[in-house]
């Protein structure tokens, strides 16, 4: 992952090393004055569930955006799904929903030196995409392309991990003739292809930055990579999208070990859940999934489970009974790709996790009282995630 860095990038890394030498980076990243999560905690009655957050851990979960789905609700300004896992003096980004770069700024993720002329990406260590639905990746370009002016030029080349090519179009839902697919030459690109296409899409801008501003090229800054799901589990995207499997580890550095498993977000495939193990503890991100044994296996005994959830009563109100056959199909389609609020507590209990954090709320506009149901069947601590919450992990 090493690259030959231009001088301006060397100076950024030199400053960070100096800070570490002075002990400025040793306690981990600055998370801003007043820690937004603490302010939120006072307003969030569900903090009463379970023990209070531990203090002093070098591993922290920061919820950057907690809204699920591509719909923006009038009067609600929640950011799209994205989380940062801070481990010491670096952090990892999990998904990149709308507003992610702004949220990284608001979370004050970055070096503790306030005079540093750097951005929140100065200490980004890697990106992990759970799947390629737009609500999870729509602002990836803001992180990568605009990132050149927000600190990305100061880091070593970062990996952008995510699912590979689906390999086949999804089955046609409902009846009638099949529509013409978008991009018929390659209708289901994976993460590596998507990041390459993003570079093509922004080539005019990137070449201007490279030639006129002498900025580094994308090949020096990031690399799209497909998570290497074992081939035997990729054979039946339209029939068995999440075959029973053991989690597999695919990434490791001095701070984290990252494992993955396939989850059931049909017809999206591959859809991944990730587990990060650090010296402090473990955090699992469900991605989007219906109730799925693979996820329980991945999350076994984790300190924190960040899980998606849908309010099935709200979905029912969208399609009130009596439903026509087509409406019933659409309703089932919606609730069968996600985890219901009546299910998520028992999933956390079965996996024996310490803290359940609800994020990717569908719909995000529901009040805390609606999500209180999620605690049913779970004795641990539950947090209804809101943007910029900060949760300590482990010790
Ligand atoms: Zn989603
Ligand atoms: Zn999705």
């Amino acid at each position: 992952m090493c690259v030959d860095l231009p001088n301006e990038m060397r100076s950024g890394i030199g400053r960070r090393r100096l800070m570490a030498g002075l002990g400025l980076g040793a306690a981990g990243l600055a998370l801003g004055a007043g820690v937004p999560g603490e302010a939120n905690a006072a307003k969030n009655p569900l903090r009463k569930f379970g023990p209070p957050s531990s203090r002093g851990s070098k591993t922290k979960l920061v919820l950057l955006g907690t809204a699920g789905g591509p719909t923006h609700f009038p009067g609600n300004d929640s950011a799209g799904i994205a989380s940062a896992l801070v481990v010491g003096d670096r952090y990892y980004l999990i998904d990149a929903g709308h507003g992610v770069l702004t949220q990284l700024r608001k979370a004050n993720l970055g070096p503790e030196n306030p005079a540093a002329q750097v951005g929140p990406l100065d200490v980004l260590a890697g990106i992990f995409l759970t799947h390629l639905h737009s609500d999870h990746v729509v602002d990836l370009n803001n992180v990568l392309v605009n990132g050149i002016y927000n600190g990305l030029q100061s880091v070593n080349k970062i990996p952008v991990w995510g699912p590979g090519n689906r390999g086949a179009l999804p089955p046609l839902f409902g009846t009638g003739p099949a529509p013409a697919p978008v991009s018929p030459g390659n209708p289901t690109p994976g993460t590596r292809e998507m990041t390459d296409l993003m570079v093509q899409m922004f080539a005019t801008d990137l070449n201007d930055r490279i030639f006129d501003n002498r900025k580094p090229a994308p090949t020096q800054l990031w690399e799209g990579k497909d998570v290497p799901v074992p081939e035997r589990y990729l054979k039946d995207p339209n029939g068995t999208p999440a075959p029973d499997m053991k989690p597999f580890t695919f990434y490791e550095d001095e701070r984290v070990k990252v494992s993955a498993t396939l989850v059931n977000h049909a017809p999206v495939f591959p859809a991944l859940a990730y587990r990060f193990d650090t010296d402090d503890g473990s955090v699992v991100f469900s991605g989007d999934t219906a109730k799925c044994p693979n996820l329980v296996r991945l999350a076994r005994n984790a300190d924190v489970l960040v899980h998606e959830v849908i309010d099935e009563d709200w979905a029912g109100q969208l399609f009130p009974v009596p439903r026509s056959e087509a409406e019933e199909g659409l309703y089932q389609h919606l609730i069968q790709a996600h985890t219901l609020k009546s299910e998520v507590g028992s999933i956390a209990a079965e996996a024996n996790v310490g803290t359940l954090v609800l994020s990717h709320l569908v719909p995000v506009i529901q009040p805390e009282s609606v999500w209180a149901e999620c605690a049913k069947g779970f004795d641990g601590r539950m947090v209804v995630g809101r943007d910029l919450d900060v949760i300590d992990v482990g010790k």
Side-chain angles (χ1 to χ4, degrees), residues 305-318:
L305 169 60
V306 185
H307 207 294
E308 70 116 276
V309 65
I310 186 170
D311 174 9
E312 61 267 35
D313 297 333
W314 169 81
Q317 285 156 16
L318 279 184

Side-chain angles (χ1 to χ4, degrees), residues 67-70 81 130-131 133-136 265 287-288 308 338 360 362:
I81 184 71
T130 58
H131 63 294
H133 258 158
S134 61
D135 54 318
H136 296 250
H265 189 39
D288 285 8
E308 70 116 276
H338 295 283
H360 193 282
V362 179

